[in-house]
Amino acid sequence: MKAFMDQDFLLTTDTAKALYHNVAEKLPIIDYHCHIPPEQIAEDVKFDTITQVWLGGDHYKWRVMRANGATEDLVTGDAPDREKFRAFAETMPNLIGNPLYHWSHLELQRGFGITEPLTPKNCDRIFDEANEQLKNYSARQLMEKFNVKAICTTDDPIDDLHWHRQIAEDESFSIKVLPAFRPDKAVNVDKPTFAGYIPQLSAVVGYPITCTADVIRALEDRVDFFAAAGCLCADHGLDYCMYAEPDLAVADQAFAVAMAGGKPDKASADAFKTAVTIACAKAYADHGWVMQIHFGCLRDNNKPAVAVMGPDHGHDAVNSQSGVENLSPLLNAFVENDGLPKTILYSLSPADNTAIATIMQCFQGGGVPGKLQQGSAWWFNDNLPGMRQQMTDLACNGVLGRFVGMLTDSRSFLSYTRHEYFRRILCQLIGEWVESGQYPADMEQLEKLVADICFNNTNEFFGFQV
């Protein structure tokens, strides 16, 4: 029987162990998509308790705590930090098969050197031990501890990016912290927040926004502003991948209805979203940015809970109506507009893996290795079988060696261990293929593949230059 999460955790072949320990384990981290607030890095915050850095903002953990019977005061409410930690510890023994069981123990091991499983019996001692160690670490020091070289945060077009400027001007801190352009509030015309957002965008750009063309102009101006601040990528979050003929007259109908406080019909809303997204893609291509498109999420379920807590509190799910069939005409529209940027595509529905992998292959070319990417297993799929399946589907239908690998998609300074989890799964998968005779045991080539997927491809693809 193997020891619990020992040095060879998830690694069962000699090839996998060699690739992980000799290559992947030693590589630095580029986290090209996360939700860490840049002000926490700028101010180099320190956390008083492990609850604050571990459970604060982590809707993965919140969901399982609720499912285990924790009341909301112990999840997102005002219960003492120790009580919240105890509630999570009560949940942990029941999480067999859940990636959170692995992630959480990797965070305890790598963050605090705590190797024993977290249980209700030892949680108070672990809480105290972790809190004592946290006294020695600030936000920046945690990033350095995990060998992070660069990250991209997630930033609204109206953000003035002053926290990013403050970080960039601090010569004592060498990790690159770059903004990522997230224009969802200006694109999703069918959301109730749209009408209140447009005046804010108008105030920032300094001119009235009265139609679709004005929205496009404003976003193009903000892309220029973000580019001047060192931005290398954008990220679009779509409930479903849409496509409609980008008729500005039809799009303007959606704009007018939304600004009057109504909800536009799907046809006009899709025309608006398509027109704006095509224009954004062109702006990104002109700046050499990477465009990320996330789709297939059924957001804000449990309306009463969302009304109290707001979005991003663990009430989202997989949307089986992801609209993946619209990906082809959308990408085609980018090409026809001479604006297909380097692009990473993610669907929350694992059933879309093969569709994405095959559709994107139709748009590769131009001398750019892996110009279109299938993103790593996202959100509800970034688990052991989900990651294996995503990489297998990509390998079967694309070029796995050009894959840009893992990201945390997280709000926590401890979640960089998700890169370790990914790297172990990658090395195990490759090791199985090699030791079953499906690929040569050429360690020089294998080590290059692993180093590229874990670090080099990302560094080159985005242009981080670290």
Side-chain angles (χ1 to χ4, degrees):
M1 181 182 296
K2 284 179 61 66
F4 172 66
M5 291 186 67
D6 63 5
Q7 66 175 1
D8 291 331
F9 172 56
L10 299 180
L11 308 172
T12 64
T13 68
D14 290 341
T15 303
K17 293 172 185 177
L19 290 174
Y20 179 74
H21 293 303
N22 295 339
V23 183
E25 185 176 27
K26 301 174 183 179
L27 291 168
I29 288 172
I30 294 175
D31 199 40
Y32 57 86
H33 177 66
C34 76
H35 296 277
I36 286 177
E39 58 265 34
Q40 291 186 345
I41 302 172
E43 296 181 339
D44 200 18
V45 299
K46 298 193 75 171
F47 300 94
D48 296 325
T49 70
I50 186 176
T51 302
Q52 295 171 13
V53 69
W54 210 36
L55 300 180
D58 193 336
H59 49 80
Y60 286 89
K61 294 186 173 82
W62 294 346
R63 288 166 65 94
V64 296
M65 291 171 71
R66 292 182 189 122
N68 197 55
T71 52
E72 199 61 36
D73 62 315
L74 295 167
V75 181
T76 63
D78 57 3
D81 283 358
R82 183 182 293 273
E83 295 302 317
K84 290 182 175 180
F85 189 79
R86 285 173 176 167
F88 186 65
E90 290 279 354
T91 304
M92 280 287 280
N94 293 318
L95 293 182
I96 184 169
N98 191 306
L100 275 172
Y101 197 78
H102 297 153
W103 294 352
S104 298
H105 283 111
L106 284 174
E107 289 162 357
L108 288 173
Q109 290 181 11
R110 304 297 177 257
F112 306 100
I114 297 170
T115 58
E116 60 185 303
L118 176 63
T119 70
K121 293 180 179 179
N122 64 17
C123 66
D124 280 328
R125 175 168 49 81
I126 287 178
F127 182 79
D128 292 333
E129 181 179 344
N131 292 346
E132 188 64 29
Q133 291 193 46
L134 272 175
K135 295 177 182 178
N136 301 318
Y137 291 101
S138 64
R140 295 183 180 188
Q141 289 169 325
L142 285 171
M143 296 175 75
E144 291 166 348
K145 179 181 180 67
F146 287 105
N147 198 18
V148 177
K149 295 301 181 184
I151 72 168
C152 292
T153 59
T154 304
D155 306 275
D156 193 277
I158 66 173
D159 197 302
D160 64 8
L161 302 182
H162 71 281
W163 295 117
H164 287 89
R165 287 195 299 274
Q166 183 174 323
I167 296 167
E169 292 167 359
D170 187 346
E171 296 182 356
S172 68
F173 186 59
S174 62
I175 298 174
K176 286 189 175 182
V177 179
L178 302 179
F181 191 75
R182 182 73 177 246
D184 294 6
K185 292 179 181 178
V187 176
N188 293 325
V189 68
D190 49 355
K191 297 288 186 180
T193 54
F194 182 84
Y197 179 77
I198 292 301
Q200 298 178 57
L201 180 60
S202 176
V204 169
V205 296
Y207 47 79
I209 297 177
T210 61
C211 63
T212 308
D214 291 340
V215 174
I216 290 171
R217 175 190 170 196
L219 291 177
E220 290 170 343
D221 287 347
R222 297 310 290 171
V223 167
D224 292 342
F225 176 80
F226 270 60
C231 183
L232 299 174
C233 63
D235 182 52
H236 288 234
L238 305 171
D239 291 352
Y240 58 91
C241 185
M242 76 286 142
Y243 180 80
E245 288 300 316
D247 186 318
L248 290 185
V250 177
D252 284 343
Q253 294 173 16
F255 180 89
V257 170
M259 294 305 292
K263 183 174 181 178
D265 62 83
K266 186 176 184 298
S268 63
D270 283 356
F272 177 91
K273 289 187 280 188
T274 302
V276 175
T277 302
I278 292 170
C280 284
K282 171 64 172 171
Y284 308 152
D286 289 345
H287 282 285
W289 285 7
V290 174
M291 181 181 192
Q292 299 179 75
I293 303 177
H294 291 80
F295 61 91
C297 182
L298 195 64
R299 295 186 183 274
D300 299 338
N301 304 281
N302 191 344
K303 298 300 182 184
V306 173
V308 173
M309 299 179 217
D312 301 323
H313 279 71
H315 299 102
D316 303 318
V318 175
N319 185 353
S320 62
Q321 304 296 314
S322 69
V324 69
E325 69 278 4
N326 292 319
L327 185 57
S328 176
L330 185 64
L331 294 175
N332 195 68
F334 292 174
V335 175
E336 291 179 337
N337 193 45
D338 194 26
L340 176 65
K342 290 182 286 186
T343 303
I344 307 177
L345 303 163
Y346 312 78
S347 173
L348 202 52
S349 175
D352 292 342
N353 281 353
T354 300
I356 290 176
T358 55
I359 290 170
M360 74 182 194
Q361 293 299 87
C362 302
F363 296 91
Q364 301 282 23
V368 180
K371 182 175 181 178
L372 273 76
Q373 294 272 338
Q374 181 185 15
S376 60
W378 172 42
W379 200 344
F380 299 120
N381 303 305
D382 52 6
N383 47 56
L384 176 56
M387 290 184 186
R388 285 179 61 98
Q389 190 62 54
Q390 181 270 335
M391 286 189 279
T392 300
D393 289 340
L394 175 58
C396 287
N397 294 287
V399 184
L400 183 62
R402 292 297 185 180
F403 181 34
V404 293
M406 188 57 175
L407 51 105
T408 65
D409 195 21
S410 171
R411 294 166 174 81
S412 172
F413 288 93
L414 294 176
S415 62
Y416 297 112
T417 53
R418 294 181 194 177
H419 285 264
E420 175 181 341
Y421 194 58
F422 167 85
R423 291 173 179 185
R424 287 177 178 271
I425 293 169
L426 170 69
C427 291
Q428 173 65 14
L429 187 60
I430 290 176
E432 290 174 13
W433 287 338
V434 170
E435 298 204 7
S436 63
Q438 298 181 58
Y439 193 89
D442 179 343
M443 290 307 293
E444 181 178 358
Q445 177 60 29
L446 292 169
E447 289 179 356
K448 180 180 185 302
L449 276 171
V450 169
D452 286 347
I453 294 169
C454 294
F455 182 81
N456 296 331
N457 290 346
T458 303
N459 194 27
E460 180 178 350
F461 191 70
F462 284 82
F464 283 107
Q465 298 180 338
V466 295

